[in-house]
Amino acid sequence: MDRSDKPRVVLGVSGGIAAYKACELLRRLTESGHDVRVVPTASALRFVGEPTWAALSGNPVTTGVWDDVQEVPHVRIGQEADLVVVAPATADTLARAAHGLADDLLTNTLLTARCPVVFAPAMHTEMWEHPATVENVATLRRRGAVVVEPAVGRLTGKDTGKGRLPEPAEIFEVCRRVLARGAAGRPDLAGRHVVVSAGGTREPLDPVRFLGNRSSGRQGYALARTAVARGARVTLVAANTALADPAGADVVRVGTAVQLREAVLKAAADADAVVMAAAVADFRPADYAQRKIKKREGREPEPVALVRNPDVLAELSAERPRPGQVVVGFAAETDDVLANGRAKLARKGCDLLVVNEVGEERTFGSDENEAVVLGADGSETPVPHGPKEALADIVWDEVVRRLSAE
């Protein structure tokens, strides 16, 4: 692909120890066909040198407003970009961006850019939680920037907490989704808190066995990633998944249906929308064996008595912990898909129900899906076979439409 045909990305790098991780983000952007121009701050160059950025991007690295003045870099770089992503974004960079300062090339680029802008903050927990940073982040989001929530983990020194730069692969996914939506794809979930459940619950039978299902969590994770790219604050309740945490999502890990119910109801208290994509077990063993159930020669095993698990979707739909909250359910069916889906939609009382046909080689564990989104208002939106993130975007389109009608 000719360089002029490639999406143009500006990678801003500010002066934090996580600057080295931006090298991996740069590699992913260039290898996936993007023309990347790196704009590091003077402090960033104390962590990663200019030759590294030039070698990985294949582009010259301009570090100051006085370099290559004839090309007017402080204006042109931002004007020509399809996306600007700042990773890591320090507290200082967020503050200068929020207040419209233009004292270096990166802040000039942010002021001249008319394309989507993504910030991936990285700093110590105290800095992230300081009222000044909180207000600066709110300002940037209100103006249409996507500010990705930092991850929780090891920071510099011995400190651990929220403020760690999300993994570059996950930041790349946010950038990819933002670019796919284009300049017109404003962050229409900005200022919204959404809750997504994903994966499949497991109901213990004894210390080594459980009753479970085949759900991988991929659809729920796709919903979380697309919501982050659309500007939402995302709580992801993950049941027994083996997937990387989506950048920008607060991940709550659970095991059983009872644990999932507790986590979802807690997170839903201030949520604008709840999407129940997890496969929640309908039943659990009535009794839990404290020791492994042994096989006895010549004797059949005792029947396993089951009891009902709480119906989390129906409970959410009935109680609506927040007025105007939009509740979305999923229905995995093996036959009479639409008929069963319509019956479940009426029974559960949710606003939207995503109905798909499942099986051992369909949907579960796959990166693709095919579904119909049924609405309590009688709407019916078929989603053709394709990536799960495409279905996720259609679900959020329907959620946004209902939130906008409040």
Side-chain angles (χ1 to χ4, degrees):
M1 185 164 53
D2 187 271
R3 172 161 294 196
S4 62
D5 297 328
K6 295 181 178 180
R8 292 162 296 188
V9 177
V10 174
L11 173 58
V13 185
S14 49
I17 186 63
Y20 77 93
K21 289 187 176 181
C23 296
E24 173 65 14
L25 175 59
L26 173 56
R27 184 186 68 80
R28 288 179 177 272
L29 287 166
T30 55
E31 289 186 355
S32 57
H34 300 85
D35 181 19
V36 187
R37 184 82 176 260
V38 182
V39 181
T41 65
S43 296
L45 292 175
R46 296 176 70 90
F47 293 96
V48 181
E50 182 180 329
T52 299
W53 301 122
L56 291 176
S57 68
N59 277 323
V61 177
T62 307
T63 59
V65 293
W66 302 109
D67 297 339
D68 302 318
V69 175
Q70 73 281 2
E71 296 181 7
V72 201
H74 73 289
V75 174
R76 292 285 180 261
I77 293 176
Q79 284 180 334
E80 295 174 354
D82 297 305
L83 173 72
V84 177
V85 52
V86 184
T90 60
D92 178 67
T93 297
L94 293 173
R96 290 189 292 140
H99 288 84
L101 301 183
D103 56 354
D104 65 5
L105 187 58
L106 178 55
T107 48
N108 274 271
T109 298
L110 289 168
L111 282 179
T112 57
R114 294 297 179 266
C115 59
V117 177
V118 175
F119 292 93
M123 64 197 74
H124 268 68
T125 307
E126 293 84 357
M127 300 173 74
W128 173 251
E129 294 176 347
H130 193 281
T133 305
V134 171
E135 190 168 331
N136 290 332
V137 168
T139 297
L140 292 169
R141 285 172 170 163
R142 189 168 60 250
R143 292 175 184 162
V146 174
V147 183
V148 177
E149 290 283 318
V152 175
R154 181 71 179 268
L155 306 175
T156 53
K158 297 180 180 179
D159 294 340
T160 300
K162 189 167 187 177
R164 180 183 175 91
L165 186 73
E167 291 304 310
E170 291 301 320
I171 299 174
F172 169 74
E173 287 299 322
V174 174
C175 294
R176 190 174 64 81
R177 292 303 308 143
V178 171
L179 270 169
R181 289 178 59 77
R186 62 183 182 82
D188 50 7
L189 286 172
R192 303 288 191 178
H193 175 210
V194 303
V195 178
V196 179
S197 70
T201 60
R202 295 177 178 177
E203 309 303 321
L205 180 61
D206 65 18
V208 297
R209 301 182 180 92
F210 60 84
L211 301 181
N213 57 66
R214 297 178 184 274
S215 179
S216 65
R218 293 181 186 277
Q219 184 63 69
Y221 275 59
L223 283 154
R225 288 192 181 96
T226 52
V228 168
R230 294 171 75 147
R233 176 167 68 91
V234 179
T235 300
L236 175 63
V237 179
N240 306 296
T241 62
L243 304 172
D245 291 352
D250 289 321
V251 181
V252 181
R253 302 196 181 280
V254 297
T256 67
V258 171
Q259 292 170 348
L260 182 139
R261 173 187 176 273
E262 181 181 352
V264 168
L265 291 181
K266 180 179 179 180
D270 68 343
D272 297 283
V274 182
V275 181
M276 292 291 295
V280 183
D282 294 321
F283 309 100
R284 67 181 184 273
D287 298 303
Y288 173 74
Q290 297 295 330
R291 297 181 179 181
K292 178 182 176 182
I293 300 172
K294 296 290 188 179
K295 179 175 64 176
R296 298 180 180 180
E297 294 298 330
R299 295 179 59 180
E300 293 297 320
E302 294 293 327
V304 176
L306 301 176
V307 296
R308 284 185 179 274
N309 270 324
D311 191 328
V312 187
L313 179 58
E315 186 175 354
L316 276 169
S317 301
E319 297 185 2
R320 307 281 173 152
R322 180 171 180 170
Q325 186 177 82
V326 178
V327 178
V328 183
F330 271 68
E333 302 291 346
T334 57
D335 56 87
D336 295 329
V337 175
L338 286 181
N340 287 333
R342 291 191 184 95
K344 184 172 183 177
L345 176 64
R347 189 169 65 252
K348 301 293 186 180
C350 49
D351 301 289
L352 295 164
L353 189 74
V354 183
V355 188
N356 54 11
E357 187 173 353
V358 298
E360 289 190 25
E361 298 180 1
R362 297 189 66 170
T363 301
F364 287 134
S366 169
D367 290 322
E368 298 184 332
N369 206 344
E370 180 179 355
V372 178
V373 182
L374 302 177
D377 57 2
S379 61
E380 186 174 305
T381 307
V383 183
H385 186 80
K388 286 185 173 178
E389 63 185 21
L391 171 59
D393 265 327
I394 290 175
V395 171
W396 291 125
D397 287 344
E398 293 298 315
V399 169
V400 168
R401 187 163 67 86
R402 283 158 177 80
L403 289 174
S404 301
E406 290 178 5

